[in-house]
Amino acid sequence: MSAETKTTAADALVTQLEAYGVRYVFGTCGHTNIALLDAIGRSSIEFVIARHEQAAAHAADGYARASGKPGVVLLHVGPGMMNAVTGVATAALDSVPMVVIAGDVPSYMHGRHPHQEVNLHADADQTAIYRPFVKRAWHAHRVEDLPRFLERAFWTATSGRPGAVLLNVPMDLFSRPLDFEDHPLPAAVTVPALADASRIAELLAEAERPLVYLGGGLGRGEGRQALLSLAEHLDIPVAHSLMAKGALPDRHPLVMGMTGFWGLEVTNTYALEADVVLAIGTRFAETDASSWNPAYTWRIPPTRLIQIDIDPAEIGRNYPVEIGVVADATQAVRAIDTAVRRAVPEPVRRPGLREQIHAARTALFEGSTGRGRSEDFPLRPERILLDLRETLPPDTILVTDVGWNKNGVAQCYPLPPEGRFITPGGASTMGFGPAAALGVQIAEPDRVVVALVGDGGMSAALPALPMAVERGLPVLFVVMNNRAHGTIADLQAANFGRQYGCEFTDPDGRPYSPDFAALGRACGADGYQIERVEDLRGALRTAERRRRPAVLDVAMVNEPVPTPGHWNIKDIYQGLFD
């Protein structure tokens, strides 16, 4: 490391951020971070200002998911960093790399309860708020530690299982002089041992009913090509979690779709009866594993489980493993594909398998398309999905929230190979979609980006609208408006016979909704109120052509999401454990 000219810590940190390839910092201003913000303003880095910290964190999250680079968030002390909790936790639970820099009270006022200090039962301990979900939180006490802490923050956020980290900085440290030294980022890739790859290849080759179960941990590019090569060579079907939707083409003859709560019977049955499962980058989450009930999706053992994950804590967490490999998923799949071709030179074919998958998946997609041809108004949700798919370019990126927009796309929307589906998985955060779509659009400026959200999600993320206008981001906010938290209303009605507290009404009990199209226009975006069944396609074409932020308010009937699988929560509602 070579010493540089003495400068302020703020300027030194910005130089370091530039060296790490940071182009955007998302956040809000406050008296504790404006020294760093001023230094950013004199650099090549753009500051993406948000009107709420949760929106800043979701936007940084979307940018990270789309670009593959860590999202960087700048926050203010106290309420500023607390407002961002949900957004940062959403990224953390979905293994999205994020570096959060938060200003804090001056170091020399620590514990005296200065303005906005987080204190009550502990003095100036705002890092404790983030510790349950970040990979690591640093509180700087000396200005000399800041460059090293920032290097550790980027390394920790991006290495191993990616995630969110927090660097907490008392505001006076930003303005202190610092002899800056280079702190380059190390590089590392965890590669599986050759012996592990050979053992896995042997198990897969010997299996009568093997299955690949894919989670969201397999990166784009080489890993996915290697997985396709492996699956096609051994004729192994591939099931996937919610977060792996679109990792392999939906129309591929070996892709069985999701397991668990949203899974088809054929997919859950095949998983239940598989003799060997190769699980890649997955947590075996509750909904994907039918609440871990061995009667529905996974019966491990007797099924023999091979689990590959970058995070050693996930190996064997929910099911016992026969082979557990801590490795980068892409490197592992490439090694296994090579080992399989050595062990089995000639391609394998399993009679009737592809035909069975094709019949089940075709029935699913054609059934949804058929319902989507409905001329009813308000629109059926599958009509909205069909209009999107048949109107917008195939490489459109869909960023969803929670409810029909997420579950419907994940289950019955055949995503074009060029397209992409981004959704909050671990936290299922309402309000994620609108702001996350902004970050995605920044990362992918030439593609059509749709924030496909419900009226509840749009209401929870209104700061995204002025952000889109200020940045000139042509995101299409498509609001599936059923004047309710519709999925929960349906769940309550099915189990308790009414929908109390789940629907939006005026004082007289009539269904109520803001005019989201008018809200969009008030913010400077385009607004389209969909009032007839034929209006949506025309509005989508116009909005896409104009390349401006646009809000499409689509009246939708409240219709339950198809849920053919099992979820234990329904048993609890029905008093199973009384």
Side-chain angles (χ1 to χ4, degrees):
M1 296 183 292
S2 59
E4 299 286 343
T5 307
K6 187 179 289 288
T7 182
T8 67
D11 284 315
L13 293 179
V14 169
T15 299
Q16 199 172 349
L17 290 171
E18 289 180 310
Y20 294 165
V22 173
R23 294 182 58 198
Y24 302 95
V25 171
F26 301 80
T28 56
C29 60
H31 69 265
T32 60
N33 66 26
I34 55 174
L36 185 60
L37 192 56
D38 177 68
I40 291 172
R42 291 181 275 106
S43 75
S44 63
I45 298 171
E46 291 187 49
F47 182 65
V48 182
I49 185 171
R51 292 167 183 265
H52 192 277
E53 291 82 1
Q54 183 174 338
H58 285 322
D61 182 346
Y63 174 80
R65 296 188 200 222
S67 69
K69 302 175 182 178
V72 181
V73 184
L74 178 61
L75 301 172
H76 172 55
V77 68
M81 64 97 68
M82 288 190 283
N83 279 343
V85 163
T86 301
V88 178
T90 297
L93 291 172
D94 282 350
S95 304
V96 175
M98 179 177 288
V99 176
V100 180
I101 303 172
D104 204 344
V105 299
S107 60
Y108 48 84
M109 291 183 179
H110 180 103
R112 298 186 67 182
H113 297 189
H115 182 56
Q116 293 186 310
E117 179 185 84
V118 174
N119 57 61
L120 191 60
H121 307 296
D123 292 325
D125 192 20
Q126 67 178 18
T127 59
I129 298 167
Y130 277 47
R131 290 191 190 279
F133 52 83
V134 296
K135 291 182 71 176
R136 178 74 190 270
W138 291 266
H139 178 86
H141 295 279
R142 304 186 314 142
V143 67
E144 294 83 3
D145 290 331
L146 284 176
R148 179 169 58 88
F149 284 178
L150 186 63
E151 179 270 323
R152 289 288 84 194
F154 271 82
W155 168 248
T156 303
T158 57
S159 64
R161 178 179 179 171
V165 298
L166 171 67
L167 174 55
N168 196 69
V169 184
M171 62 178 289
D172 57 298
L173 297 193
F174 286 130
S175 299
R176 293 183 184 271
L178 177 67
D179 286 322
F180 175 66
E181 294 182 343
D182 293 330
H183 282 266
L185 285 175
V189 176
T190 307
V191 181
L194 292 176
D196 291 330
S198 297
R199 287 178 61 207
I200 293 170
E202 290 173 7
L203 274 179
L204 293 174
E206 294 168 359
E208 294 184 6
R209 193 177 170 90
L211 175 67
V212 172
Y213 180 55
L214 181 62
L218 183 64
R220 304 178 74 81
E222 291 184 4
R224 297 183 182 184
Q225 292 304 313
L227 180 58
L228 273 178
S229 173
L230 167 64
E232 290 172 351
H233 190 74
L234 290 183
D235 216 30
I236 301 178
V238 180
H240 61 76
S241 70
L242 167 73
M243 299 305 289
K245 166 81 173 182
L248 300 182
D250 267 334
R251 297 285 192 180
H252 191 280
L254 290 173
V255 171
M256 303 190 80
M258 290 191 298
T259 59
F261 183 47
W262 294 292
L264 295 174
E265 181 179 358
V266 65
T267 309
N268 282 320
T269 299
Y270 195 98
L272 197 64
E273 297 175 355
D275 55 350
V276 174
V277 171
L278 172 60
I280 304 167
T282 176
R283 298 180 297 122
F284 285 100
E286 182 190 7
T287 50
D288 301 316
S290 297
S291 298
W292 308 290
N293 188 317
Y296 294 96
T297 301
W298 306 109
R299 192 180 294 135
I300 305 172
T303 299
R304 304 164 77 184
L305 175 61
I306 306 161
Q307 188 173 5
I308 298 169
D309 205 286
I310 195 69
D311 184 353
E314 293 299 341
I315 304 294
R317 178 193 292 276
N318 284 312
Y319 295 106
V321 300
E322 181 156 331
I323 300 176
V325 179
V326 178
D328 174 82
T330 292
Q331 300 300 322
V333 173
R334 291 177 63 189
I336 295 167
D337 182 41
T338 300
V340 160
R341 290 172 182 276
R342 282 198 302 264
V344 186
E346 296 299 320
V348 174
R349 286 295 174 265
R350 303 179 193 277
L353 173 64
R354 296 184 181 217
E355 291 77 11
Q356 180 188 28
I357 295 172
H358 176 75
R361 297 280 277 173
T362 299
L364 170 69
F365 292 142
E366 290 187 354
S368 180
T369 298
R371 292 186 292 275
R373 300 290 180 197
S374 168
E375 294 293 319
D376 293 344
F377 191 85
L379 296 182
R380 298 187 69 176
E382 283 161 307
R383 175 61 189 254
I384 298 173
L385 300 185
L386 182 67
D387 285 358
L388 285 170
R389 191 170 65 249
E390 293 189 349
T391 304
L392 297 178
D395 67 344
T396 293
I397 302 175
L398 297 179
V399 186
T400 72
D401 223 83
V402 294
W404 243 108
N405 48 87
K406 177 181 82 171
N407 304 337
V409 171
Q411 184 184 62
C412 55
Y413 186 106
L415 192 71
E418 309 93 326
R420 189 161 179 193
F421 168 62
I422 294 176
T423 196
S428 278
T429 304
M430 181 174 291
F432 169 86
L438 303 181
V440 172
Q441 188 75 81
I442 289 172
E444 296 280 3
D446 298 326
R447 292 174 70 172
V448 174
V449 176
V450 174
L452 183 63
V453 299
D455 50 311
M458 192 71 242
S459 298
L462 293 178
L465 296 178
M467 281 182 70
V469 173
E470 288 164 347
R471 298 288 309 183
L473 300 172
V475 171
L476 308 186
F477 300 91
V478 178
V479 183
M480 302 173 75
N481 190 348
N482 56 12
R483 294 170 169 79
H485 292 309
T487 300
I488 305 304
D490 294 333
L491 191 62
Q492 187 189 45
N495 290 279
F496 299 99
R498 61 175 182 165
Q499 298 180 334
Y500 179 76
C502 303
E503 297 176 308
F504 304 122
T505 61
D506 66 15
D508 295 322
R510 295 185 297 262
Y512 165 78
S513 174
D515 185 336
F516 290 106
L519 275 172
R521 290 191 293 271
C523 292
D526 294 340
Y528 303 84
Q529 187 65 247
I530 307 304
E531 297 177 327
R532 300 174 302 166
V533 70
E534 62 270 21
D535 287 351
L536 179 55
R537 294 195 181 211
L540 287 169
R541 292 190 187 98
T542 301
E544 180 204 350
R545 184 180 68 251
R546 296 196 68 187
R547 294 299 287 167
R548 282 177 40 78
V551 180
L552 291 78
D553 190 344
V554 188
M556 183 185 83
V557 65
N558 195 16
E559 189 171 285
V561 180
T563 52
H566 169 78
W567 190 20
N568 172 258
I569 197 168
K570 291 186 174 182
D571 296 333
I572 297 172
Y573 290 145
Q574 294 163 9
L576 179 66
F577 302 113
D578 287 348

